[in-house]
């Protein structure tokens, strides 16, 4: 079956709402079990008023009822042809929702918003504890009781934090970091309306680095409700040549899915525009996915968090109603409603102090009790009673480049990584986000790390391998094998690799190229390029300072 979006009344370049037609097209595909949907080249607008609506449980986001531009649910052998099509979304919407689909091929298309929900401004004056700015582009900045608010067409959000960018390099100003309005990690911010589109910032303590006059300020709220594309419980998905110019939160988020490929996906601001922000959080995010997750020839720029984040999910054991059942609770607010496991998958009881597996069983049933709790039934008795532990599923820019926290094998090769924090961070965590596991086999090869660690707060080395251990791991080391080979580090900070509790660590054939002129802006605490603690077999060879 092959259908055109025009078969359902949508025409490009008319300004009409495409949401009703996209909903009808999704229903038609569902009736046939799958097929091909084509969008002719042109501009399509999506409005939330008549869009498909459902409750969406999305990891690392605020879950709830959402409007969806393109609902594609329960399909097999689905093809989307969107070469030359531009999709413009209005207000709070999730553009694409792929759920319970198999054998998906998506080609082309560009996603953007009519009115970006992250504001940008020019710094017009600054000193140790103040700043002045004027907005650039659409949107309205409102001050009430010295607190700032972002206001658009039908929405208003409280301002949460600020970032400062160099508009020429399009990178965060070296030495600067997040500035939270509530004083989290630093001085509280208050605002004054000076009239004629000008505003003043008053900071209760000095800036860590004074924002330069002429720099660009990004203003963002703390709302995570609308990723650009959600891939939920899908298998064998390939996304080719998709472009996301702007989206409210994560660009592409996949959860509980298997065998995913993103090829030539670009998440970056429009090069014809001077805007700096693409996605409001990570460019890509993979949660509880299995099989092969591959990113080829992709370009991620201007996101307000990491380029990619790969991890699982932990839930705390509450009680044991039956010998083969446990009641678990999601511990982070942005895990609400997440399906930790499906029948046939394995889960493990994890000691949160050491990440050690105490028992592994196969799931026969998963029942959501409410948004925070779920009942998991196993094929055998859970012989630990009611332990103080966690359940882990074993299916296996701002800030940093890549966050890797999976027990599966990982290859990171031939990338150009320019992040203000760590280029690659491997940080297991089951005590705050409740999502990151130790790694077993990681290869980092042939990459260029370009002036990583130019700003404080987002890692302690260009490659940052850390632990959250509260006790010694039973096998002696938390991580397995990590190989860091034949990479180039253009270093603005001498901290190149920091590794802790790795069983086998190889750092070889790497080239270190110091970048002149940035020493004053660096937050350097290292005694040398390699900081290695409590590791097993370590090889350091043929690394050259150029």
């Amino acid at each position: 079956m092959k259908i055109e979006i025009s078969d359902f009344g949508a025409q490009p370049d008319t300004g009409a709402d495409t949401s009703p037609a996209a909903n009808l097209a999704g229903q038609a595909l569902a009736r046939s079990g799958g097929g091909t949907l084509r969008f002719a080249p042109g501009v399509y607008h999506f409005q939330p008023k008549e869009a498909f609506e459902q409750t969406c449980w999305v990891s690392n986001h605020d879950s709830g009822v959402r409007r969806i531009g393109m609902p594609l649910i329960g399909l097999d052998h689905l093809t989307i042809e969107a070469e030359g099509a531009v999709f413009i979304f209005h207000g709070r919407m999730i553009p694409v929702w792929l759920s319970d689909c198999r054998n998906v091929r998506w080609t082309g298309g560009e996603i953007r918003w009519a009115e970006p929900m992250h504001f940008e401004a020019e710094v017009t004056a600054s000193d140790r504890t103040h700043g002045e700015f004027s907005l650039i582009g659409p949107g309205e900045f409102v001050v009430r009781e010295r607190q700032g608010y972002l206001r658009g067409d039908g929405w208003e959000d409280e301002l949460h934090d600020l970032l400062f960018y160099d508009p020429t390099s399009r990178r965060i100003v070296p030495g600067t970091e997040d500035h939270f309005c509530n004083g989290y990690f630093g001085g509280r911010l208050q605002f004054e309306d000076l009239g004629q589109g000008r505003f003043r910032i008053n900071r209760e303590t000095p800036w860590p680095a004074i924002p330069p006059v002429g720099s660009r300020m990004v203003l963002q709220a703390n709302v995570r409700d609308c990723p650009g594309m959600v891939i939920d419980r899908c298998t064998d998905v390939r996304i080719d040549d998709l472009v996301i110019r702007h989206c409210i939160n994560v660009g592409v988020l996949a959860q509980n899915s298997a065998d995913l490929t993103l090829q030539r996906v670009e998440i970056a601001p429009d090069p014809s525009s001077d805007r700096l922000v693409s996605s409001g959080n990570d460019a890509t995010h993979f949660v509880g996915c299995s099989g092969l997750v591959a990113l080829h020839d992709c370009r991620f720029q201007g996101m307000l968090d990491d380029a990619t984040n790969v991890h699982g999910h932990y839930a705390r054991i509450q009680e044991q109603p039956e010998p083969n059942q446990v009641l678990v609770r999601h511990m982070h607010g942005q895990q609400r409603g997440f399906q930790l496991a499906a029948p046939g998958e394995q889960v493990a009881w994890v000691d949160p102090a050491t990440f050690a597996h105490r028992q592994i069983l196969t799931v026969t049933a998963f029942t959501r009790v409410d948004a925070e709790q779920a009942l998991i039934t196993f094929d055998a008795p859970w012989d630990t009673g009611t332990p103080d532990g966690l359940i882990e599923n074993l299916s296996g820019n701002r800030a940093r480049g890549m966050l890797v926290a999976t027990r599966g094998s990982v290859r990171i090769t031939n990338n150009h990584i320019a992040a203000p924090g760590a280029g690659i961070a491997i940080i297991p965590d089951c005590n705050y986000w409740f999502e990151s596991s130790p790694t077993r086999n990681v290869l980092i090869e042939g990459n260029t790390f370009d002036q990583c660690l130019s700003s404080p707060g987002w890692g302690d080395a260009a490659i940052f391998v850390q632990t959250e251990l509260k006790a010694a791991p039973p096998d002696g080391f938390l991580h397995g094998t990590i190989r860091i080979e034949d990479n180039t580090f253009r270093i603005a900070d001498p901290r190149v690799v920091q590794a802790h509790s790795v069983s086998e660590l190889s750092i070889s054939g790497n080239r270190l190229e110091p970048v002149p002129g940035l020493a004053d802006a660096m937050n350097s605490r290292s005694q040398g390029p390699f900081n290695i603690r409590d590791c097993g077999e370590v090889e350091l060879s043929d690394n050259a300072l150029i």
Side-chain angles (χ1 to χ4, degrees):
M1 174 183 177
K2 183 169 184 177
I3 56 178
E4 303 270 346
I5 194 65
S6 59
D7 296 340
F8 304 91
Q11 296 292 337
D13 305 320
T14 64
D17 182 13
T18 306
S19 295
N23 188 11
L24 292 172
Q27 293 177 23
L29 291 167
R31 287 193 295 270
S32 66
T36 298
L37 172 61
R38 178 179 178 270
F39 290 83
V43 177
Y44 299 84
H45 288 262
F46 290 79
Q47 300 281 352
K49 184 177 180 181
E50 297 185 54
F52 178 80
E53 181 180 84
Q54 73 171 24
T55 298
C56 297
W57 307 108
V58 184
S59 181
N60 295 79
H61 285 70
D62 304 315
S63 297
V65 176
R66 300 287 179 262
R67 298 296 176 94
I68 298 171
M70 301 183 204
L72 302 165
I73 302 170
L75 306 175
D76 195 358
H77 289 94
L78 168 68
T79 299
I80 302 294
E81 298 177 354
E83 297 94 334
V86 177
F87 306 124
I88 298 180
F89 294 85
H90 297 253
R92 286 206 144 85
M93 302 181 68
I94 296 177
V96 181
W97 182 271
L98 284 162
S99 183
D100 296 299
C101 295
R102 297 186 298 170
N103 305 305
V104 177
R105 300 294 179 266
W106 178 297
T107 304
E110 178 178 305
I111 292 173
R112 59 172 69 210
W113 252 257
E115 181 182 77
M117 293 189 175
H118 306 93
F119 290 2
E120 299 185 13
E122 181 182 0
V123 177
T124 57
S126 61
D127 60 28
R128 294 182 68 249
T129 57
H130 303 89
E132 293 183 11
F133 66 92
S134 299
L135 283 187
I136 299 172
E140 180 182 0
F141 188 73
V142 179
V143 177
R144 291 197 301 270
E145 298 180 352
R146 296 184 174 271
Q147 172 61 48
Y149 296 85
L150 311 180
R151 179 184 291 173
D153 184 12
W155 62 272
E156 181 179 281
D157 292 329
E158 182 176 344
L159 176 64
H160 182 254
D161 66 286
L162 312 174
L163 286 165
F164 296 98
Y165 284 77
D166 180 330
T168 301
S169 68
R170 306 178 75 90
R171 297 178 64 145
I172 288 178
V173 173
T176 65
E177 56 185 339
D178 287 307
H179 300 283
F180 294 94
C181 297
N182 62 4
Y184 187 58
F185 287 154
R188 184 180 299 275
L189 305 180
Q190 295 185 330
F191 298 87
E192 299 176 50
D193 188 340
L194 302 179
Q196 299 182 330
R198 296 168 51 247
F199 300 90
R200 182 177 177 86
I201 308 170
N202 300 302
R203 183 181 164 96
E204 66 181 4
T205 59
W207 301 104
I210 297 175
V213 172
S215 62
R216 187 73 62 83
M217 185 172 73
V218 171
L219 304 87
Q220 64 173 330
N222 188 26
V223 179
R224 289 196 180 197
D225 53 3
C226 295
M229 173 184 283
V230 176
I231 302 170
D232 177 51
R233 300 193 304 271
C234 295
T235 302
D236 188 13
V237 177
R238 180 174 177 134
I239 309 295
D240 288 352
D241 302 303
L242 173 69
V243 175
I244 298 178
R245 293 300 181 202
H246 179 76
C247 66
I248 301 173
N249 299 115
V250 169
V252 177
L253 185 143
Q255 58 185 23
N256 292 332
S257 296
D259 297 323
L260 310 168
T261 299
L262 274 61
Q263 180 153 303
R264 297 182 303 278
V265 171
E266 180 178 359
I267 300 176
D270 188 338
S272 66
S273 165
D274 64 354
R275 284 195 60 83
L276 300 173
V277 175
S278 56
S279 64
N281 303 111
D282 300 337
T284 59
H285 211 113
F286 302 91
V287 187
C289 294
S290 60
L292 176 64
V293 176
L295 285 73
H296 298 298
D297 301 320
C298 295
R299 177 172 177 260
F300 305 140
Q301 181 184 30
M303 52 279 176
L304 292 181
D305 219 333
D306 312 309
T308 193
N309 194 339
V310 183
H311 62 79
H313 174 69
Y314 295 100
R316 188 171 295 281
I317 301 168
Q318 299 292 104
E319 58 182 84
Q320 186 175 8
E322 299 291 342
N324 66 332
Q325 288 183 332
V326 291
L327 181 71
V328 300
R329 174 177 291 276
H330 302 295
M331 298 305 296
H332 195 281
Q334 291 176 347
Q335 295 172 339
R336 295 176 75 250
F338 184 79
Q339 183 171 339
L340 174 64
E345 294 182 341
Q346 289 185 316
V347 299
W349 171 40
V350 178
D351 180 348
T354 65
F355 292 88
H357 288 172
R358 298 295 180 83
Q359 187 178 9
I360 298 174
L361 291 175
T362 300
V363 176
T364 60
F366 180 93
T367 304
R368 183 182 292 121
V369 176
D370 53 35
E372 283 78 31
Q373 298 182 104
L375 185 67
I376 305 177
T377 305
F378 303 102
D379 63 345
W382 188 262
D383 62 15
T384 58
T386 305
D388 178 19
L390 303 171
I391 288 286
E392 176 191 16
N393 189 335
L394 295 183
S395 299
N397 103 98
R398 163 195 171 275
R400 298 137 305 214
M402 301 182 185
L403 269 67
V404 179
T406 173
R407 296 180 189 270
S409 295
V410 177
R411 292 173 55 89
I412 302 173
T413 60
N414 303 317
N415 297 282
H416 183 274
I417 302 172
I424 296 173
I426 301 174
I427 311 174
D429 158 59
C430 59
N431 294 289
Y432 180 71
W433 280 97
F434 293 89
E435 63 183 26
S436 305
S437 71
T439 58
R440 290 177 176 168
N441 187 7
V442 178
L443 172 64
I444 302 171
E445 182 180 48
N447 304 283
T448 296
F449 294 83
D450 190 357
Q451 302 177 51
C452 296
L453 229 66
S454 62
S455 297
W458 296 311
D460 289 337
I463 298 177
F464 184 44
V465 183
Q466 190 54 278
T467 68
E468 295 281 342
L469 289 172
K470 296 184 178 180
D475 296 332
F477 303 101
L478 185 62
H479 300 285
T481 299
I482 298 178
R483 294 160 53 203
I484 302 169
E485 301 174 351
D486 300 318
N487 301 282
T488 297
F489 295 87
R490 300 189 67 239
I491 54 174
D493 187 300
R495 296 171 293 170
V496 174
V497 177
Q498 177 171 309
H500 180 213
S501 195
V502 180
S503 177
E504 297 179 19
L505 176 65
S506 172
I507 304 174
S508 63
N510 300 288
R511 293 163 297 283
L512 282 58
E513 302 177 0
V515 176
L518 291 180
D520 293 341
M522 298 187 306
N523 180 30
S524 175
R525 299 183 297 273
S526 175
Q527 300 301 311
F530 307 128
N531 183 354
I532 300 168
R533 296 185 299 119
D534 302 327
C535 293
E537 297 181 17
V538 177
E539 177 187 357
L540 293 173
S541 62
D542 301 322
N543 299 293
L545 180 65
I546 299 175

